[in-house]
Amino acid sequence: MKRNWLSLLFCVLFSTALAQTEIGPVNWTKIEKVISTHPDSVRMLIERLATPDTELTLSWEERRTAFYGQALMTKNREDYTVKRAENAFEKGAYREAVQLAKDALRTNPLCLTALRIAEKGTQELIDAGSPDHYAADVKRFSERAFRLYNIIASTGDGSKKQPFCVTKKADEYNFMRYYLEQWEYVGQSLIGTCDVIELKEPNQYYARKSIWFDAYLTFKTESMNN
């Protein structure tokens, strides 16, 4: 995979994050109660999590409340716009892709796929010589996404006993590829409410042969939308 300054930043941040992450499961009942009784407090946490501030003072429980609470409140309303952004990116229409990604982020500022498209699309435009796109924006999108990867990492270790908790299926592939740098897998299965991805081989970021993802919210959202 091509390495650039963002990849170097990733390696440094990854090592630091592993040392500082506080592992804890997602307490869905508690988050849903807070959303029901004090929704503005959750929105405040979401705003703080999405703010480009290098000194993030939120506790890990507050970060989990923000990330998973946002997903509960948004209920995948951004997905249609995200899909359009993905299609535009695949066609090389990077300006359109970035704009659509930004539109999706206005609905859900913590959407990993939208952040990825905004980051990579902006970089493509910069590389093509665009005068109105900046490296600072690429860095901002990348760092926000990395905060969210850290939150997913804080929910478990990828084992059957402690699966990583995600907000939707797309989180699984974003996390696996862009956080664990695992691009090849040989199988996938659904066991209970967990997606289990069998990897081709472990690497320096993930030592197991399989990754367990808790897909509780994926099933919950699908049932609410049917």
Side-chain angles (χ1 to χ4, degrees):
M1 221 171 16
K2 181 180 178 181
R3 293 285 179 174
N4 53 27
W5 68 271
L6 280 175
S7 297
L8 178 60
L9 174 66
F10 168 86
C11 292
V12 173
L13 291 177
F14 187 93
S15 298
T16 303
L18 288 179
Q20 296 176 346
T21 301
E22 174 190 302
I23 301 297
V26 177
N27 189 329
W28 292 109
T29 301
K30 184 176 181 179
I31 294 174
E32 288 173 331
K33 183 176 181 180
V34 173
I35 290 172
S36 176
T37 57
H38 299 94
D40 287 344
S41 69
V42 179
R43 294 189 184 99
M44 182 184 68
L45 293 176
I46 293 166
E47 183 178 351
R48 289 176 63 189
L49 185 63
T51 299
D53 180 358
T54 55
E55 295 297 327
L56 189 63
T57 57
L58 296 175
S59 69
W60 284 103
E61 183 175 0
E62 288 173 327
R63 298 179 202 204
R64 287 188 284 266
T65 298
F67 182 50
Y68 297 100
Q70 172 72 81
L72 282 167
M73 291 190 294
T74 306
K75 299 176 183 177
N76 293 338
R77 287 197 304 273
E78 75 278 10
D79 279 3
Y80 174 70
T81 306
V82 170
K83 185 62 178 176
R84 291 176 62 202
E86 285 185 299
N87 289 339
F89 186 90
E90 289 170 2
K91 294 175 182 176
Y94 300 121
R95 190 174 295 272
E96 180 185 359
V98 170
Q99 185 56 59
L100 285 167
K102 289 179 178 178
D103 290 344
L105 290 170
R106 278 190 279 274
T107 301
N108 179 1
L110 307 182
C111 175
L112 280 167
T113 302
L115 287 168
R116 173 172 55 80
I117 294 170
E119 172 201 334
K120 295 187 179 300
T122 301
Q123 186 62 59
E124 291 284 353
L125 290 168
I126 292 171
D127 292 344
S130 173
D132 53 350
H133 291 84
Y134 309 98
D137 293 326
V138 177
K139 185 172 182 289
R140 176 167 52 87
F141 292 130
S142 176
E143 289 183 343
R144 191 193 309 179
F146 198 85
R147 285 181 178 179
L148 306 184
Y149 293 138
N150 282 342
I151 293 170
I152 293 174
S154 81
T155 64
D157 59 12
S159 65
K160 179 179 180 180
K161 186 177 181 180
Q162 291 184 301
F164 294 122
C165 189
V166 293
T167 69
K168 60 182 70 180
K169 186 175 288 290
D171 286 359
E172 299 174 16
Y173 299 105
N174 283 314
F175 182 79
M176 179 178 73
R177 292 166 177 164
Y178 299 103
Y179 191 78
L180 301 179
E181 293 206 3
Q182 286 284 0
W183 289 81
E184 297 184 69
Y185 63 97
V186 295
Q188 185 172 3
S189 58
L190 181 64
I191 301 178
T193 59
C194 285
D195 269 336
V196 185
I197 297 178
E198 301 295 335
L199 301 173
K200 184 175 181 180
E201 59 184 3
N203 66 10
Q204 61 180 320
Y205 300 122
Y206 191 75
R208 293 185 171 88
K209 289 293 295 288
S210 62
I211 310 177
W212 286 68
F213 288 104
D214 181 350
Y216 163 82
L217 189 55
T218 300
F219 289 104
K220 181 180 177 68
T221 304
E222 287 177 352
S223 66
M224 289 189 297
N225 291 338
N226 290 333

